[in-house]
Amino acid sequence: MDDSKKYPRGHWMAREDEKLLQLVEEFGPQNWNSIAEKLQGRSGKSCRLRWFNQLDPRINKRPFTEEEEERLLAAHRVHGNKWALIARVFPGRTDNAIKNHWHVVMARRQRENSRLCSKRNASQGHDFLSHRTTVNSTNHLLTSSFQAPDRGDAGKLFEFGSVARERMNSPLPWSFSRSLTHRSCDCTNIHGQMARRRPLHWSTYRSLGGGACRDETASSSEMVRQNSTISMNPSDVERDEASFKSKEVRFIDFLGVGIIS
DNA sequence: AACGGTACCAACCGCGAATAC
DNA sequence: AGTATTCGCGGTTGGTACCGT
């Protein structure tokens, strides 16, 4: 197979790397557009990325150790998604590597949780979508996180969001997006306002082909990444929280479109 | 052996900040 | 001061390797 077929999406070939190394030696790691002019088919940006993420001899390419993972999680708790900042305390690790590895760790933990929860739910007969809420006490914003059991289900959830948005009779603009892990569907009301919440039964999701769902507790960082924001008055928030805590919530309660099929 | 699903990670994109002119 | 260019960052996509069936 020739290289153009082998690397359809811009993967770097050894001979390109060699050339880039030469050029960086000649010009230094700057003036990337000038460097790119001498490398056919590569932008300055692409050259810079290749150098800083892969070719720079200072890069540590060894697998992350457990100790590094612990430090990474601790740093993320302090700094959030400031990958460049976090990378500074990991000599030889790039921000991209740090970011990727954090997602690997989160995905691994999520899988572990998922396995535990699916076992528990199977024994308890639970079959609803993951739903978790947090409340910002300052402005009474309710943040809800919804999570599908796997990547394919997130696709269904996403499709559902599109259909729901078309069919719902809401004056508010909602946007949907899939998460980094392809396991959840984010919905965002850009006005952050909703006069009244209406129920959205998860069976609607299932009617679109979604599988069995689980009761799962997302980590706080997942919550940040996978959220929708709905403005509510405090009493609604309290009721919702109490309801959720007592596990009475058997439906996703966020868009208010009801069953659409 | 073939196939499908999953995990990992390299590479790309858009955007804002910094710098040069 | 205004505009163009370059750089850096964070989010996202898609290719590859691996594993289970």
Side-chain angles (χ1 to χ4, degrees), chain A residues 45-46 49-50 100 111 183:
Chain A
K45 223 172 166 176
S46 181
L49 203 67
R50 183 65 181 167
N100 280 335
R111 282 196 301 279
R183 287 187 181 81

mmCIF file with all atom_site columns, all heavy atoms in Angstrom, chain A residues 45-46 49-50 100 111 183, chain B residues 7-12 14-15:
data_model
loop_
_atom_site.group_PDB
_atom_site.id
_atom_site.type_symbol
_atom_site.label_atom_id
_atom_site.label_alt_id
_atom_site.label_comp_id
_atom_site.label_asym_id
_atom_site.label_entity_id
_atom_site.label_seq_id
_atom_site.pdbx_PDB_ins_code
_atom_site.Cartn_x
_atom_site.Cartn_y
_atom_site.Cartn_z
_atom_site.occupancy
_atom_site.B_iso_or_equiv
_atom_site.pdbx_formal_charge
_atom_site.auth_seq_id
_atom_site.auth_comp_id
_atom_site.auth_asym_id
_atom_site.auth_atom_id
_atom_site.pdbx_PDB_model_num
ATOM 1   N N     . LYS A 1 45  ? 1.507   25.591 10.868 1.00 0.00 ? 45  LYS A N     1
ATOM 2   C CA    . LYS A 1 45  ? 0.869   25.116 12.084 1.00 0.00 ? 45  LYS A CA    1
ATOM 3   C C     . LYS A 1 45  ? 1.126   23.621 12.307 1.00 0.00 ? 45  LYS A C     1
ATOM 4   O O     . LYS A 1 45  ? 1.425   23.173 13.413 1.00 0.00 ? 45  LYS A O     1
ATOM 5   C CB    . LYS A 1 45  ? -0.641  25.340 11.934 1.00 0.00 ? 45  LYS A CB    1
ATOM 6   C CG    . LYS A 1 45  ? -1.303  25.875 13.140 1.00 0.00 ? 45  LYS A CG    1
ATOM 7   C CD    . LYS A 1 45  ? -2.725  26.230 12.812 1.00 0.00 ? 45  LYS A CD    1
ATOM 8   C CE    . LYS A 1 45  ? -3.459  26.448 14.098 1.00 0.00 ? 45  LYS A CE    1
ATOM 9   N NZ    . LYS A 1 45  ? -4.825  26.887 13.888 1.00 0.00 ? 45  LYS A NZ    1
ATOM 10  N N     . SER A 1 46  ? 0.979   22.891 11.217 1.00 0.00 ? 46  SER A N     1
ATOM 11  C CA    . SER A 1 46  ? 1.178   21.449 11.283 1.00 0.00 ? 46  SER A CA    1
ATOM 12  C C     . SER A 1 46  ? 2.632   21.117 11.648 1.00 0.00 ? 46  SER A C     1
ATOM 13  O O     . SER A 1 46  ? 2.891   20.215 12.450 1.00 0.00 ? 46  SER A O     1
ATOM 14  C CB    . SER A 1 46  ? 0.809   20.828 9.934  1.00 0.00 ? 46  SER A CB    1
ATOM 15  O OG    . SER A 1 46  ? 0.966   19.448 9.979  1.00 0.00 ? 46  SER A OG    1
ATOM 16  N N     . LEU A 1 49  ? 3.209   21.840 15.316 1.00 0.00 ? 49  LEU A N     1
ATOM 17  C CA    . LEU A 1 49  ? 2.575   20.813 16.130 1.00 0.00 ? 49  LEU A CA    1
ATOM 18  C C     . LEU A 1 49  ? 3.416   19.532 16.141 1.00 0.00 ? 49  LEU A C     1
ATOM 19  O O     . LEU A 1 49  ? 3.626   18.910 17.193 1.00 0.00 ? 49  LEU A O     1
ATOM 20  C CB    . LEU A 1 49  ? 1.193   20.518 15.549 1.00 0.00 ? 49  LEU A CB    1
ATOM 21  C CG    . LEU A 1 49  ? 0.181   19.924 16.493 1.00 0.00 ? 49  LEU A CG    1
ATOM 22  C CD1   . LEU A 1 49  ? -0.180  20.926 17.562 1.00 0.00 ? 49  LEU A CD1   1
ATOM 23  C CD2   . LEU A 1 49  ? -1.062  19.503 15.725 1.00 0.00 ? 49  LEU A CD2   1
ATOM 24  N N     . ARG A 1 50  ? 3.888   19.154 14.964 1.00 0.00 ? 50  ARG A N     1
ATOM 25  C CA    . ARG A 1 50  ? 4.686   17.943 14.858 1.00 0.00 ? 50  ARG A CA    1
ATOM 26  C C     . ARG A 1 50  ? 5.953   18.068 15.694 1.00 0.00 ? 50  ARG A C     1
ATOM 27  O O     . ARG A 1 50  ? 6.349   17.130 16.391 1.00 0.00 ? 50  ARG A O     1
ATOM 28  C CB    . ARG A 1 50  ? 5.039   17.681 13.389 1.00 0.00 ? 50  ARG A CB    1
ATOM 29  C CG    . ARG A 1 50  ? 5.808   16.398 13.140 1.00 0.00 ? 50  ARG A CG    1
ATOM 30  C CD    . ARG A 1 50  ? 4.987   15.174 13.477 1.00 0.00 ? 50  ARG A CD    1
ATOM 31  N NE    . ARG A 1 50  ? 5.728   13.933 13.251 1.00 0.00 ? 50  ARG A NE    1
ATOM 32  C CZ    . ARG A 1 50  ? 5.338   12.735 13.687 1.00 0.00 ? 50  ARG A CZ    1
ATOM 33  N NH1   . ARG A 1 50  ? 4.208   12.608 14.363 1.00 0.00 ? 50  ARG A NH1   1
ATOM 34  N NH2   . ARG A 1 50  ? 6.062   11.671 13.452 1.00 0.00 ? 50  ARG A NH2   1
ATOM 35  N N     . ASN A 1 100 ? -4.490  14.100 26.500 1.00 0.00 ? 100 ASN A N     1
ATOM 36  C CA    . ASN A 1 100 ? -4.910  12.771 26.079 1.00 0.00 ? 100 ASN A CA    1
ATOM 37  C C     . ASN A 1 100 ? -4.906  11.795 27.244 1.00 0.00 ? 100 ASN A C     1
ATOM 38  O O     . ASN A 1 100 ? -5.840  11.029 27.419 1.00 0.00 ? 100 ASN A O     1
ATOM 39  C CB    . ASN A 1 100 ? -3.985  12.238 24.981 1.00 0.00 ? 100 ASN A CB    1
ATOM 40  C CG    . ASN A 1 100 ? -4.324  12.810 23.624 1.00 0.00 ? 100 ASN A CG    1
ATOM 41  O OD1   . ASN A 1 100 ? -5.457  13.219 23.366 1.00 0.00 ? 100 ASN A OD1   1
ATOM 42  N ND2   . ASN A 1 100 ? -3.337  12.871 22.755 1.00 0.00 ? 100 ASN A ND2   1
ATOM 43  N N     . ARG A 1 111 ? -15.234 3.409  32.826 1.00 0.00 ? 111 ARG A N     1
ATOM 44  C CA    . ARG A 1 111 ? -15.524 2.014  32.476 1.00 0.00 ? 111 ARG A CA    1
ATOM 45  C C     . ARG A 1 111 ? -15.659 1.177  33.729 1.00 0.00 ? 111 ARG A C     1
ATOM 46  O O     . ARG A 1 111 ? -16.553 0.341  33.844 1.00 0.00 ? 111 ARG A O     1
ATOM 47  C CB    . ARG A 1 111 ? -14.399 1.448  31.596 1.00 0.00 ? 111 ARG A CB    1
ATOM 48  C CG    . ARG A 1 111 ? -14.445 1.865  30.169 1.00 0.00 ? 111 ARG A CG    1
ATOM 49  C CD    . ARG A 1 111 ? -13.550 0.967  29.316 1.00 0.00 ? 111 ARG A CD    1
ATOM 50  N NE    . ARG A 1 111 ? -12.155 0.967  29.709 1.00 0.00 ? 111 ARG A NE    1
ATOM 51  C CZ    . ARG A 1 111 ? -11.277 1.896  29.364 1.00 0.00 ? 111 ARG A CZ    1
ATOM 52  N NH1   . ARG A 1 111 ? -11.663 2.920  28.632 1.00 0.00 ? 111 ARG A NH1   1
ATOM 53  N NH2   . ARG A 1 111 ? -10.019 1.823  29.747 1.00 0.00 ? 111 ARG A NH2   1
ATOM 54  N N     . ARG A 1 183 ? -19.885 9.524  24.730 1.00 0.00 ? 183 ARG A N     1
ATOM 55  C CA    . ARG A 1 183 ? -20.812 8.753  25.546 1.00 0.00 ? 183 ARG A CA    1
ATOM 56  C C     . ARG A 1 183 ? -21.944 9.593  26.102 1.00 0.00 ? 183 ARG A C     1
ATOM 57  O O     . ARG A 1 183 ? -22.792 9.086  26.788 1.00 0.00 ? 183 ARG A O     1
ATOM 58  C CB    . ARG A 1 183 ? -20.077 8.080  26.708 1.00 0.00 ? 183 ARG A CB    1
ATOM 59  C CG    . ARG A 1 183 ? -19.240 6.920  26.275 1.00 0.00 ? 183 ARG A CG    1
ATOM 60  C CD    . ARG A 1 183 ? -18.667 6.178  27.430 1.00 0.00 ? 183 ARG A CD    1
ATOM 61  N NE    . ARG A 1 183 ? -17.862 5.087  26.947 1.00 0.00 ? 183 ARG A NE    1
ATOM 62  C CZ    . ARG A 1 183 ? -16.611 5.221  26.514 1.00 0.00 ? 183 ARG A CZ    1
ATOM 63  N NH1   . ARG A 1 183 ? -16.024 6.388  26.537 1.00 0.00 ? 183 ARG A NH1   1
ATOM 64  N NH2   . ARG A 1 183 ? -15.948 4.189  26.051 1.00 0.00 ? 183 ARG A NH2   1
ATOM 65  P P     . DA  B 2 7   ? -13.286 0.879  25.872 1.00 0.00 ? 7   DA  B P     1
ATOM 66  O OP1   . DA  B 2 7   ? -13.386 0.387  27.255 1.00 0.00 ? 7   DA  B OP1   1
ATOM 67  O OP2   . DA  B 2 7   ? -14.085 2.041  25.415 1.00 0.00 ? 7   DA  B OP2   1
ATOM 68  O "O5'" . DA  B 2 7   ? -11.753 1.193  25.576 1.00 0.00 ? 7   DA  B "O5'" 1
ATOM 69  C "C5'" . DA  B 2 7   ? -10.809 0.129  25.658 1.00 0.00 ? 7   DA  B "C5'" 1
ATOM 70  C "C4'" . DA  B 2 7   ? -9.426  0.655  25.347 1.00 0.00 ? 7   DA  B "C4'" 1
ATOM 71  O "O4'" . DA  B 2 7   ? -9.289  0.838  23.917 1.00 0.00 ? 7   DA  B "O4'" 1
ATOM 72  C "C3'" . DA  B 2 7   ? -9.091  1.993  25.989 1.00 0.00 ? 7   DA  B "C3'" 1
ATOM 73  O "O3'" . DA  B 2 7   ? -7.781  1.910  26.526 1.00 0.00 ? 7   DA  B "O3'" 1
ATOM 74  C "C2'" . DA  B 2 7   ? -9.195  3.004  24.844 1.00 0.00 ? 7   DA  B "C2'" 1
ATOM 75  C "C1'" . DA  B 2 7   ? -8.865  2.153  23.620 1.00 0.00 ? 7   DA  B "C1'" 1
ATOM 76  N N9    . DA  B 2 7   ? -9.543  2.536  22.388 1.00 0.00 ? 7   DA  B N9    1
ATOM 77  C C8    . DA  B 2 7   ? -10.861 2.873  22.238 1.00 0.00 ? 7   DA  B C8    1
ATOM 78  N N7    . DA  B 2 7   ? -11.204 3.133  20.997 1.00 0.00 ? 7   DA  B N7    1
ATOM 79  C C5    . DA  B 2 7   ? -10.033 2.946  20.282 1.00 0.00 ? 7   DA  B C5    1
ATOM 80  C C6    . DA  B 2 7   ? -9.728  3.065  18.912 1.00 0.00 ? 7   DA  B C6    1
ATOM 81  N N6    . DA  B 2 7   ? -10.619 3.411  17.994 1.00 0.00 ? 7   DA  B N6    1
ATOM 82  N N1    . DA  B 2 7   ? -8.463  2.811  18.534 1.00 0.00 ? 7   DA  B N1    1
ATOM 83  C C2    . DA  B 2 7   ? -7.566  2.454  19.475 1.00 0.00 ? 7   DA  B C2    1
ATOM 84  N N3    . DA  B 2 7   ? -7.726  2.316  20.782 1.00 0.00 ? 7   DA  B N3    1
ATOM 85  C C4    . DA  B 2 7   ? -9.002  2.579  21.123 1.00 0.00 ? 7   DA  B C4    1
ATOM 86  P P     . DC  B 2 8   ? -7.154  3.146  27.315 1.00 0.00 ? 8   DC  B P     1
ATOM 87  O OP1   . DC  B 2 8   ? -6.297  2.592  28.379 1.00 0.00 ? 8   DC  B OP1   1
ATOM 88  O OP2   . DC  B 2 8   ? -8.208  4.134  27.637 1.00 0.00 ? 8   DC  B OP2   1
ATOM 89  O "O5'" . DC  B 2 8   ? -6.208  3.785  26.207 1.00 0.00 ? 8   DC  B "O5'" 1
ATOM 90  C "C5'" . DC  B 2 8   ? -5.277  2.940  25.529 1.00 0.00 ? 8   DC  B "C5'" 1
ATOM 91  C "C4'" . DC  B 2 8   ? -4.680  3.688  24.357 1.00 0.00 ? 8   DC  B "C4'" 1
ATOM 92  O "O4'" . DC  B 2 8   ? -5.694  3.889  23.349 1.00 0.00 ? 8   DC  B "O4'" 1
ATOM 93  C "C3'" . DC  B 2 8   ? -4.133  5.085  24.691 1.00 0.00 ? 8   DC  B "C3'" 1
ATOM 94  O "O3'" . DC  B 2 8   ? -2.747  5.063  24.407 1.00 0.00 ? 8   DC  B "O3'" 1
ATOM 95  C "C2'" . DC  B 2 8   ? -4.913  6.034  23.782 1.00 0.00 ? 8   DC  B "C2'" 1
ATOM 96  C "C1'" . DC  B 2 8   ? -5.428  5.107  22.692 1.00 0.00 ? 8   DC  B "C1'" 1
ATOM 97  N N1    . DC  B 2 8   ? -6.693  5.501  22.008 1.00 0.00 ? 8   DC  B N1    1
ATOM 98  C C2    . DC  B 2 8   ? -6.708  5.600  20.614 1.00 0.00 ? 8   DC  B C2    1
ATOM 99  O O2    . DC  B 2 8   ? -5.681  5.370  19.978 1.00 0.00 ? 8   DC  B O2    1
ATOM 100 N N3    . DC  B 2 8   ? -7.871  5.955  19.998 1.00 0.00 ? 8   DC  B N3    1
ATOM 101 C C4    . DC  B 2 8   ? -8.968  6.187  20.714 1.00 0.00 ? 8   DC  B C4    1
ATOM 102 N N4    . DC  B 2 8   ? -10.078 6.519  20.060 1.00 0.00 ? 8   DC  B N4    1
ATOM 103 C C5    . DC  B 2 8   ? -8.976  6.081  22.139 1.00 0.00 ? 8   DC  B C5    1
ATOM 104 C C6    . DC  B 2 8   ? -7.825  5.744  22.730 1.00 0.00 ? 8   DC  B C6    1
ATOM 105 P P     . DC  B 2 9   ? -1.830  6.235  24.877 1.00 0.00 ? 9   DC  B P     1
ATOM 106 O OP1   . DC  B 2 9   ? -0.488  5.674  25.111 1.00 0.00 ? 9   DC  B OP1   1
ATOM 107 O OP2   . DC  B 2 9   ? -2.503  7.017  25.926 1.00 0.00 ? 9   DC  B OP2   1
ATOM 108 O "O5'" . DC  B 2 9   ? -1.771  7.152  23.566 1.00 0.00 ? 9   DC  B "O5'" 1
ATOM 109 C "C5'" . DC  B 2 9   ? -1.334  6.558  22.341 1.00 0.00 ? 9   DC  B "C5'" 1
ATOM 110 C "C4'" . DC  B 2 9   ? -1.574  7.546  21.211 1.00 0.00 ? 9   DC  B "C4'" 1
ATOM 111 O "O4'" . DC  B 2 9   ? -2.987  7.645  20.930 1.00 0.00 ? 9   DC  B "O4'" 1
ATOM 112 C "C3'" . DC  B 2 9   ? -1.122  8.986  21.502 1.00 0.00 ? 9   DC  B "C3'" 1
ATOM 113 O "O3'" . DC  B 2 9   ? -0.566  9.500  20.309 1.00 0.00 ? 9   DC  B "O3'" 1
ATOM 114 C "C2'" . DC  B 2 9   ? -2.420  9.709  21.789 1.00 0.00 ? 9   DC  B "C2'" 1
ATOM 115 C "C1'" . DC  B 2 9   ? -3.302  9.004  20.778 1.00 0.00 ? 9   DC  B "C1'" 1
ATOM 116 N N1    . DC  B 2 9   ? -4.769  9.166  20.973 1.00 0.00 ? 9   DC  B N1    1
ATOM 117 C C2    . DC  B 2 9   ? -5.588  9.234  19.826 1.00 0.00 ? 9   DC  B C2    1
ATOM 118 O O2    . DC  B 2 9   ? -5.059  9.143  18.725 1.00 0.00 ? 9   DC  B O2    1
ATOM 119 N N3    . DC  B 2 9   ? -6.927  9.401  19.983 1.00 0.00 ? 9   DC  B N3    1
ATOM 120 C C4    . DC  B 2 9   ? -7.438  9.481  21.208 1.00 0.00 ? 9   DC  B C4    1
ATOM 121 N N4    . DC  B 2 9   ? -8.753  9.632  21.311 1.00 0.00 ? 9   DC  B N4    1
ATOM 122 C C5    . DC  B 2 9   ? -6.625  9.405  22.380 1.00 0.00 ? 9   DC  B C5    1
ATOM 123 C C6    . DC  B 2 9   ? -5.301  9.248  22.211 1.00 0.00 ? 9   DC  B C6    1
ATOM 124 P P     . DA  B 2 10  ? 0.863   10.153 20.329 1.00 0.00 ? 10  DA  B P     1
ATOM 125 O OP1   . DA  B 2 10  ? 1.858   9.101  20.575 1.00 0.00 ? 10  DA  B OP1   1
ATOM 126 O OP2   . DA  B 2 10  ? 0.824   11.361 21.169 1.00 0.00 ? 10  DA  B OP2   1
ATOM 127 O "O5'" . DA  B 2 10  ? 0.957   10.588 18.804 1.00 0.00 ? 10  DA  B "O5'" 1
ATOM 128 C "C5'" . DA  B 2 10  ? 0.769   9.623  17.787 1.00 0.00 ? 10  DA  B "C5'" 1
ATOM 129 C "C4'" . DA  B 2 10  ? 0.070   10.255 16.605 1.00 0.00 ? 10  DA  B "C4'" 1
ATOM 130 O "O4'" . DA  B 2 10  ? -1.316  10.496 16.921 1.00 0.00 ? 10  DA  B "O4'" 1
ATOM 131 C "C3'" . DA  B 2 10  ? 0.648   11.599 16.162 1.00 0.00 ? 10  DA  B "C3'" 1
ATOM 132 O "O3'" . DA  B 2 10  ? 0.667   11.606 14.745 1.00 0.00 ? 10  DA  B "O3'" 1
ATOM 133 C "C2'" . DA  B 2 10  ? -0.326  12.623 16.729 1.00 0.00 ? 10  DA  B "C2'" 1
ATOM 134 C "C1'" . DA  B 2 10  ? -1.644  11.865 16.709 1.00 0.00 ? 10  DA  B "C1'" 1
ATOM 135 N N9    . DA  B 2 10  ? -2.612  12.206 17.749 1.00 0.00 ? 10  DA  B N9    1
ATOM 136 C C8    . DA  B 2 10  ? -2.380  12.360 19.085 1.00 0.00 ? 10  DA  B C8    1
ATOM 137 N N7    . DA  B 2 10  ? -3.466  12.620 19.783 1.00 0.00 ? 10  DA  B N7    1
ATOM 138 C C5    . DA  B 2 10  ? -4.470  12.630 18.852 1.00 0.00 ? 10  DA  B C5    1
ATOM 139 C C6    . DA  B 2 10  ? -5.861  12.845 18.946 1.00 0.00 ? 10  DA  B C6    1
ATOM 140 N N6    . DA  B 2 10  ? -6.494  13.084 20.086 1.00 0.00 ? 10  DA  B N6    1
ATOM 141 N N1    . DA  B 2 10  ? -6.594  12.790 17.809 1.00 0.00 ? 10  DA  B N1    1
ATOM 142 C C2    . DA  B 2 10  ? -5.960  12.527 16.654 1.00 0.00 ? 10  DA  B C2    1
ATOM 143 N N3    . DA  B 2 10  ? -4.661  12.306 16.432 1.00 0.00 ? 10  DA  B N3    1
ATOM 144 C C4    . DA  B 2 10  ? -3.969  12.375 17.587 1.00 0.00 ? 10  DA  B C4    1
ATOM 145 P P     . DA  B 2 11  ? 1.322   12.790 13.947 1.00 0.00 ? 11  DA  B P     1
ATOM 146 O OP1   . DA  B 2 11  ? 1.853   12.204 12.698 1.00 0.00 ? 11  DA  B OP1   1
ATOM 147 O OP2   . DA  B 2 11  ? 2.182   13.598 14.838 1.00 0.00 ? 11  DA  B OP2   1
ATOM 148 O "O5'" . DA  B 2 11  ? 0.044   13.663 13.582 1.00 0.00 ? 11  DA  B "O5'" 1
ATOM 149 C "C5'" . DA  B 2 11  ? -0.965  13.083 12.773 1.00 0.00 ? 11  DA  B "C5'" 1
ATOM 150 C "C4'" . DA  B 2 11  ? -2.132  14.036 12.682 1.00 0.00 ? 11  DA  B "C4'" 1
ATOM 151 O "O4'" . DA  B 2 11  ? -2.783  14.109 13.958 1.00 0.00 ? 11  DA  B "O4'" 1
ATOM 152 C "C3'" . DA  B 2 11  ? -1.756  15.471 12.303 1.00 0.00 ? 11  DA  B "C3'" 1
ATOM 153 O "O3'" . DA  B 2 11  ? -2.368  15.762 11.060 1.00 0.00 ? 11  DA  B "O3'" 1
ATOM 154 C "C2'" . DA  B 2 11  ? -2.294  16.325 13.458 1.00 0.00 ? 11  DA  B "C2'" 1
ATOM 155 C "C1'" . DA  B 2 11  ? -3.303  15.408 14.132 1.00 0.00 ? 11  DA  B "C1'" 1
ATOM 156 N N9    . DA  B 2 11  ? -3.488  15.600 15.562 1.00 0.00 ? 11  DA  B N9    1
ATOM 157 C C8    . DA  B 2 11  ? -2.521  15.628 16.529 1.00 0.00 ? 11  DA  B C8    1
ATOM 158 N N7    . DA  B 2 11  ? -2.995  15.805 17.746 1.00 0.00 ? 11  DA  B N7    1
ATOM 159 C C5    . DA  B 2 11  ? -4.363  15.893 17.561 1.00 0.00 ? 11  DA  B C5    1
ATOM 160 C C6    . DA  B 2 11  ? -5.428  16.084 18.459 1.00 0.00 ? 11  DA  B C6    1
ATOM 161 N N6    . DA  B 2 11  ? -5.277  16.219 19.774 1.00 0.00 ? 11  DA  B N6    1
ATOM 162 N N1    . DA  B 2 11  ? -6.678  16.113 17.944 1.00 0.00 ? 11  DA  B N1    1
ATOM 163 C C2    . DA  B 2 11  ? -6.835  15.972 16.619 1.00 0.00 ? 11  DA  B C2    1
ATOM 164 N N3    . DA  B 2 11  ? -5.912  15.795 15.669 1.00 0.00 ? 11  DA  B N3    1
ATOM 165 C C4    . DA  B 2 11  ? -4.690  15.758 16.218 1.00 0.00 ? 11  DA  B C4    1
ATOM 166 P P     . DC  B 2 12  ? -2.251  17.160 10.369 1.00 0.00 ? 12  DC  B P     1
ATOM 167 O OP1   . DC  B 2 12  ? -2.201  16.890 8.915  1.00 0.00 ? 12  DC  B OP1   1
ATOM 168 O OP2   . DC  B 2 12  ? -1.230  17.990 11.031 1.00 0.00 ? 12  DC  B OP2   1
ATOM 169 O "O5'" . DC  B 2 12  ? -3.682  17.803 10.691 1.00 0.00 ? 12  DC  B "O5'" 1
ATOM 170 C "C5'" . DC  B 2 12  ? -4.856  17.051 10.409 1.00 0.00 ? 12  DC  B "C5'" 1
ATOM 171 C "C4'" . DC  B 2 12  ? -6.065  17.776 10.978 1.00 0.00 ? 12  DC  B "C4'" 1
ATOM 172 O "O4'" . DC  B 2 12  ? -6.033  17.694 12.415 1.00 0.00 ? 12  DC  B "O4'" 1
ATOM 173 C "C3'" . DC  B 2 12  ? -6.114  19.260 10.615 1.00 0.00 ? 12  DC  B "C3'" 1
ATOM 174 O "O3'" . DC  B 2 12  ? -7.347  19.536 9.972  1.00 0.00 ? 12  DC  B "O3'" 1
ATOM 175 C "C2'" . DC  B 2 12  ? -5.991  19.990 11.950 1.00 0.00 ? 12  DC  B "C2'" 1
ATOM 176 C "C1'" . DC  B 2 12  ? -6.444  18.936 12.950 1.00 0.00 ? 12  DC  B "C1'" 1
ATOM 177 N N1    . DC  B 2 12  ? -5.814  19.061 14.290 1.00 0.00 ? 12  DC  B N1    1
ATOM 178 C C2    . DC  B 2 12  ? -6.628  19.205 15.422 1.00 0.00 ? 12  DC  B C2    1
ATOM 179 O O2    . DC  B 2 12  ? -7.861  19.235 15.283 1.00 0.00 ? 12  DC  B O2    1
ATOM 180 N N3    . DC  B 2 12  ? -6.057  19.323 16.644 1.00 0.00 ? 12  DC  B N3    1
ATOM 181 C C4    . DC  B 2 12  ? -4.726  19.287 16.756 1.00 0.00 ? 12  DC  B C4    1
ATOM 182 N N4    . DC  B 2 12  ? -4.212  19.401 17.974 1.00 0.00 ? 12  DC  B N4    1
ATOM 183 C C5    . DC  B 2 12  ? -3.882  19.134 15.614 1.00 0.00 ? 12  DC  B C5    1
ATOM 184 C C6    . DC  B 2 12  ? -4.462  19.022 14.418 1.00 0.00 ? 12  DC  B C6    1
ATOM 185 P P     . DG  B 2 14  ? -11.987 25.293 11.021 1.00 0.00 ? 14  DG  B P     1
ATOM 186 O OP1   . DG  B 2 14  ? -13.253 25.174 10.268 1.00 0.00 ? 14  DG  B OP1   1
ATOM 187 O OP2   . DG  B 2 14  ? -10.789 25.869 10.378 1.00 0.00 ? 14  DG  B OP2   1
ATOM 188 O "O5'" . DG  B 2 14  ? -12.267 26.128 12.347 1.00 0.00 ? 14  DG  B "O5'" 1
ATOM 189 C "C5'" . DG  B 2 14  ? -12.994 25.523 13.410 1.00 0.00 ? 14  DG  B "C5'" 1
ATOM 190 C "C4'" . DG  B 2 14  ? -12.943 26.420 14.626 1.00 0.00 ? 14  DG  B "C4'" 1
ATOM 191 O "O4'" . DG  B 2 14  ? -11.699 26.184 15.339 1.00 0.00 ? 14  DG  B "O4'" 1
ATOM 192 C "C3'" . DG  B 2 14  ? -12.982 27.913 14.312 1.00 0.00 ? 14  DG  B "C3'" 1
ATOM 193 O "O3'" . DG  B 2 14  ? -13.842 28.517 15.253 1.00 0.00 ? 14  DG  B "O3'" 1
ATOM 194 C "C2'" . DG  B 2 14  ? -11.532 28.367 14.435 1.00 0.00 ? 14  DG  B "C2'" 1
ATOM 195 C "C1'" . DG  B 2 14  ? -10.996 27.402 15.501 1.00 0.00 ? 14  DG  B "C1'" 1
ATOM 196 N N9    . DG  B 2 14  ? -9.580  27.069 15.417 1.00 0.00 ? 14  DG  B N9    1
ATOM 197 C C8    . DG  B 2 14  ? -8.841  26.848 14.280 1.00 0.00 ? 14  DG  B C8    1
ATOM 198 N N7    . DG  B 2 14  ? -7.584  26.555 14.526 1.00 0.00 ? 14  DG  B N7    1
ATOM 199 C C5    . DG  B 2 14  ? -7.498  26.579 15.907 1.00 0.00 ? 14  DG  B C5    1
ATOM 200 C C6    . DG  B 2 14  ? -6.391  26.342 16.758 1.00 0.00 ? 14  DG  B C6    1
ATOM 201 O O6    . DG  B 2 14  ? -5.228  26.048 16.445 1.00 0.00 ? 14  DG  B O6    1
ATOM 202 N N1    . DG  B 2 14  ? -6.725  26.475 18.104 1.00 0.00 ? 14  DG  B N1    1
ATOM 203 C C2    . DG  B 2 14  ? -7.986  26.789 18.563 1.00 0.00 ? 14  DG  B C2    1
ATOM 204 N N2    . DG  B 2 14  ? -8.132  26.868 19.885 1.00 0.00 ? 14  DG  B N2    1
ATOM 205 N N3    . DG  B 2 14  ? -9.034  27.019 17.778 1.00 0.00 ? 14  DG  B N3    1
ATOM 206 C C4    . DG  B 2 14  ? -8.718  26.899 16.471 1.00 0.00 ? 14  DG  B C4    1
ATOM 207 P P     . DC  B 2 15  ? -14.223 30.052 15.097 1.00 0.00 ? 15  DC  B P     1
ATOM 208 O OP1   . DC  B 2 15  ? -15.669 30.134 15.423 1.00 0.00 ? 15  DC  B OP1   1
ATOM 209 O OP2   . DC  B 2 15  ? -13.696 30.621 13.837 1.00 0.00 ? 15  DC  B OP2   1
ATOM 210 O "O5'" . DC  B 2 15  ? -13.412 30.700 16.300 1.00 0.00 ? 15  DC  B "O5'" 1
ATOM 211 C "C5'" . DC  B 2 15  ? -13.410 30.049 17.564 1.00 0.00 ? 15  DC  B "C5'" 1
ATOM 212 C "C4'" . DC  B 2 15  ? -12.333 30.648 18.426 1.00 0.00 ? 15  DC  B "C4'" 1
ATOM 213 O "O4'" . DC  B 2 15  ? -11.053 30.079 18.077 1.00 0.00 ? 15  DC  B "O4'" 1
ATOM 214 C "C3'" . DC  B 2 15  ? -12.174 32.164 18.274 1.00 0.00 ? 15  DC  B "C3'" 1
ATOM 215 O "O3'" . DC  B 2 15  ? -12.227 32.752 19.555 1.00 0.00 ? 15  DC  B "O3'" 1
ATOM 216 C "C2'" . DC  B 2 15  ? -10.811 32.342 17.639 1.00 0.00 ? 15  DC  B "C2'" 1
ATOM 217 C "C1'" . DC  B 2 15  ? -10.081 31.095 18.126 1.00 0.00 ? 15  DC  B "C1'" 1
ATOM 218 N N1    . DC  B 2 15  ? -8.930  30.660 17.299 1.00 0.00 ? 15  DC  B N1    1
ATOM 219 C C2    . DC  B 2 15  ? -7.744  30.259 17.934 1.00 0.00 ? 15  DC  B C2    1
ATOM 220 O O2    . DC  B 2 15  ? -7.694  30.268 19.170 1.00 0.00 ? 15  DC  B O2    1
ATOM 221 N N3    . DC  B 2 15  ? -6.679  29.876 17.179 1.00 0.00 ? 15  DC  B N3    1
ATOM 222 C C4    . DC  B 2 15  ? -6.781  29.881 15.849 1.00 0.00 ? 15  DC  B C4    1
ATOM 223 N N4    . DC  B 2 15  ? -5.714  29.495 15.150 1.00 0.00 ? 15  DC  B N4    1
ATOM 224 C C5    . DC  B 2 15  ? -7.984  30.277 15.186 1.00 0.00 ? 15  DC  B C5    1
ATOM 225 C C6    . DC  B 2 15  ? -9.032  30.656 15.944 1.00 0.00 ? 15  DC  B C6    1
#
